[in-house]
Amino acid sequence: MVLFHISPCCLLALNTCVSRIASSRKLQVPAFLMRKWHNKTLKLDKTRQDRLYFDSYTDVTIHEEMIADHVRTNTYRMAILRNSESIRGKVVLDVGAGTGVLSIFCVQAGARKVYAVEACSIAEQAVKIVRQNNMEDRIEVIRGTVETADLPEMVEVIVSEWMGYALLHESMLNSVLYARDKWLKPGGIILPSKAELYVSPISDPVVEDRLHFWYTAKDQYGVDMSCMSDFARRCIMNTDITVNSVTVEDVLSHPARFAELDLHTVTVEVLRAVKGEFRCESFGSAAVNAFCVHFTVTFPCPDKPQGLVLSTSPFKPETHWKQAVLYLDAPVDVVQDTVVTGEISMFPSEESARHIFHSSHDSVCTTALL
C-alpha cells in the first residue's frame, strides 16, 4: 500500500503560486490544509497482509475486469509480439501470472519456456487455460510467490503486470525486482521496462455538487441542513486514495511528471520513498479542489525507438486503473497561467505494506503575485 505525502510548505513543500506579471505588488492569501496520506494504525503481520492481498485475486471479478481492459491487455499483447525477436527461443518468467494470459502471449511470440508464477488459487484456472490452449509443454504454472519459487534455470525475459492504483499501490513491484536480481540473465529484458508518475490539478464538480446538496434541503423540504456541509466535506474528502475517472474537462493543466522508475536499475530502497517535484500552469480560471495522479509504463520496441506506452492519463482512453485523486481540504482559485508547484512523496506504510491506511492533515501556503 502506498502513502501519499504532500508535505508542508517551507519543508518538502507543495506551494500553490498564482503569478501575474501586471505589477510587483505581492498579496498573501490565507493558507489552506492539504491531506497527507498515511496508513491506519491497525497493524497486520506481513504474512497476514500477503494472505489478504492474494485472497483478493481469487475471485473471477477482478480477472474479468483486467482481461476486459482492452487498453491494458492489448498493449501487453502488442508489446510482447513486437519483442518476438528477443523472446523467440528464450526462457520467460511471468511474475504474478494470474490467469496466464501474458504467458500465452509469450508462447505466441516464440518463447521456448515460460514459468508462470502465481501465488493465489487462480493458478488452478491458469493451468486449465494453458491446457485448453495446448501449451502445457511450454508453460509451467508454479503456485507460490516469486520469492519462494525455485526455478530450474535462469531466464532471459521477465514479464509482469505489477501496476496498482497510482502505480505503486499493492507493492508488487518489489517482487519483480526480486525476480530480476535472482533470475534474470545479464542483458535480459523486462516488460515493461520503465514507469513514470504524473500529477495535475483538477476541479472535481461532483464533489462540489455533493457539498452544495445540503444547502438545497431548505428549499425542498423546509429544513435548513446547511450545517451538514462541513461534515460532508470531511466524509467525502477523507478517503486515503480515491480512484475515479477524471474527465478531460476537469483537468486544469498539462500533467507534470514527478517520478520515473527504470526497472533495470531501480532498487527496493528507492521504492521506500518515491518522490519528486512538479510544476504545472493552469489552463484558465477555476477552483482547484484536488490533484489527479496517473502513470504510464513503457515497453521497449525494436521498431519504435520511443517504446510502446501504456498510459492511464485522463487524456487517453480509460483503463481499469482510472486515476488516483487526492483532495484538498479547501478549494483554491486559479487563473490563466497560474503556476502550481510542489513535491510529492510516495512511500509504503510501516504498519501494513499493502492495504491499511488513514489520513492526517498538513498546511500548504498559497501566494498570489498581482
Side-chain angles (χ1 to χ4, degrees):
M1 173 55 62
V2 173
L3 302 171
F4 287 82
H5 175 209
I6 303 185
S7 49
C9 55
C10 304
L11 296 172
L12 297 177
L14 182 132
N15 296 322
T16 304
C17 300
V18 181
S19 301
R20 295 177 65 186
I21 311 300
S23 72
S24 59
R25 184 165 61 88
K26 186 174 182 180
L27 171 68
Q28 184 70 33
V29 179
F32 62 91
L33 294 178
M34 188 161 190
R35 221 168 285 280
K36 285 193 303 187
W37 308 90
H38 286 292
N39 280 40
K40 204 171 185 178
T41 54
L42 177 60
K43 187 171 183 177
L44 302 175
D45 65 84
K46 188 177 186 303
T47 301
R48 172 70 170 162
Q49 295 169 28
D50 289 345
R51 185 163 64 250
L52 289 173
Y53 168 64
F54 294 129
D55 284 351
S56 71
Y57 282 86
T58 60
D59 185 75
V60 70
T61 305
I62 191 167
H63 297 283
E64 178 183 349
E65 181 183 46
M66 291 189 293
I67 298 296
D69 183 343
H70 182 76
V71 175
R72 164 203 179 267
T73 306
N74 198 54
T75 302
Y76 265 88
R77 179 174 178 269
M78 294 305 299
I80 290 169
L81 294 179
R82 287 187 178 186
N83 279 278
S84 59
E85 289 300 317
S86 300
I87 294 175
R88 186 174 297 113
K90 303 296 178 58
V91 180
V92 179
L93 171 57
D94 183 354
V95 180
T99 56
V101 65
L102 302 187
S103 296
I104 290 174
F105 292 161
C106 288
V107 170
Q108 291 174 343
R112 173 174 63 84
K113 185 72 175 183
V114 180
Y115 296 103
V117 179
E118 173 53 53
C120 82
S121 61
I122 199 68
E124 298 168 10
Q125 304 306 315
V127 171
K128 296 178 182 179
I129 294 170
V130 168
R131 187 181 301 122
Q132 191 166 22
N133 285 270
N134 301 313
M135 294 182 179
E136 59 266 40
D137 59 330
R138 295 169 71 180
I139 299 176
E140 180 180 341
V141 178
I142 300 173
R143 174 76 186 273
T145 66
V146 74
E147 289 82 0
T148 59
D150 186 16
L151 305 186
E153 57 186 320
M154 300 290 282
V155 305
E156 288 97 348
V157 181
I158 290 177
V159 63
S160 180
E161 196 274 78
W162 52 268
M163 300 85 72
Y165 299 113
L167 186 67
L168 297 176
H169 178 79
E170 294 179 353
S171 302
M172 187 179 162
L173 180 54
N174 291 25
S175 296
V176 177
L177 301 189
Y178 179 92
R180 177 199 67 190
D181 295 340
K182 183 168 185 178
W183 297 112
L184 187 64
K185 291 182 179 180
I189 67 170
I190 304 175
L191 301 174
S193 60
K194 182 175 71 173
E196 296 167 287
L197 280 157
Y198 295 83
V199 64
S200 52
I202 65 171
S203 179
D204 186 347
V206 174
V207 167
E208 296 306 320
D209 288 346
R210 291 183 65 187
L211 296 178
H212 180 70
F213 165 78
W214 295 103
Y215 290 91
T216 67
K218 187 172 184 179
D219 290 339
Q220 296 185 67
Y221 310 115
V223 180
D224 187 349
M225 302 185 73
S226 59
C227 60
M228 282 285 291
S229 180
D230 288 341
F231 174 68
R233 182 179 294 277
R234 291 194 301 271
C235 292
I236 294 169
M237 297 185 173
N238 196 34
T239 53
D240 302 273
I241 299 176
T242 300
V243 178
N244 281 331
S245 294
V246 176
T247 64
V248 172
E249 292 78 14
D250 298 336
V251 181
L252 302 180
S253 80
H254 292 294
R257 186 179 68 179
F258 67 89
E260 178 180 342
L261 304 176
D262 182 338
L263 269 65
H264 285 279
T265 59
V266 69
T267 63
V268 173
E269 288 70 26
V270 169
L271 297 184
R272 292 187 181 127
V274 175
K275 63 183 179 180
E277 297 178 350
F278 66 87
R279 183 181 188 278
C280 305
E281 293 187 12
S282 175
F283 290 147
S285 299
V288 177
N289 62 8
F291 282 86
C292 164
V293 174
H294 78 268
F295 67 86
T296 66
V297 293
T298 303
F299 301 82
C301 281
D303 61 343
K304 198 173 183 180
Q306 67 271 35
L308 184 62
V309 178
L310 168 56
S311 175
T312 63
S313 167
F315 293 93
K316 298 292 184 180
E318 185 174 307
T319 71
H320 78 281
W321 288 285
K322 302 180 181 179
Q323 288 83 36
V325 178
L326 291 71
Y327 286 105
L328 307 181
D329 282 339
V332 177
D333 291 331
V334 297
V335 296
Q336 180 69 40
D337 298 326
T338 294
V339 176
V340 182
T341 63
E343 181 175 276
I344 293 182
S345 298
M346 303 173 67
F347 47 91
S349 164
E350 294 179 358
E351 288 80 17
S352 176
R354 295 193 190 273
H355 289 106
I356 310 301
F357 55 85
H358 75 87
S359 63
S360 60
H361 294 78
D362 245 335
S363 61
V364 180
C365 292
T366 303
T367 304
L369 301 177
L370 300 177

